[in-house]
Amino acid sequence: SSRCSAQTARSAMGWGGGGGGRGQWKVMGRGKPLADFGDFEGVVTRVLANGCAFVDCPEVKEQAGKDAYVHSAVMEQCSLAEGDRIAFMVHVNSSGSPQV
């Protein structure tokens, strides 16, 4: 199962420091060092009635021709809402679309 802190992280206070302009997410309670955020940054948009959404990210849109899809399970697990700024990883789903 995917971990919110590993693939998708909600930024409540804006982007923190970190090398290469990428923010960092501190994994609490595990004694591990800071983990890097994902490769892309964007804003959660178009939340659908079924709980799925899309992320507005110019880099993903340029590479894939469309916004990245966010499954409702990820939206719920990470407590995401429309307007949240997130850092994320992308994979190509079975329909050939970019997905968080």
Side-chain angles (χ1 to χ4, degrees):
S1 76
S2 67
R3 302 281 306 169
C4 189
S5 59
Q7 292 188 355
T8 307
R10 183 176 179 198
S11 174
M13 302 300 291
W15 297 108
R22 291 168 50 173
Q24 294 183 329
W25 181 265
K26 185 173 184 178
V27 180
M28 302 298 290
R30 296 186 190 175
K32 292 184 180 179
L34 295 179
D36 285 339
F37 269 131
D39 291 335
F40 299 96
E41 295 179 14
V43 177
V44 176
T45 61
R46 294 189 295 147
V47 177
L48 307 177
N50 64 4
C52 296
F54 294 89
V55 177
D56 179 27
C57 174
E59 288 179 283
V60 170
K61 190 174 270 184
E62 183 179 319
Q63 292 178 29
K66 57 180 89 173
D67 290 331
Y69 171 78
V70 187
H71 192 275
S72 60
V74 174
M75 291 289 292
E76 184 178 335
Q77 180 180 10
C78 298
S79 300
L80 296 175
E82 188 166 350
D84 284 346
R85 184 170 200 58
I86 63 170
F88 59 97
M89 301 293 288
V90 171
H91 69 275
V92 177
N93 64 22
S94 61
S95 66
S97 296
Q99 183 170 335
V100 173

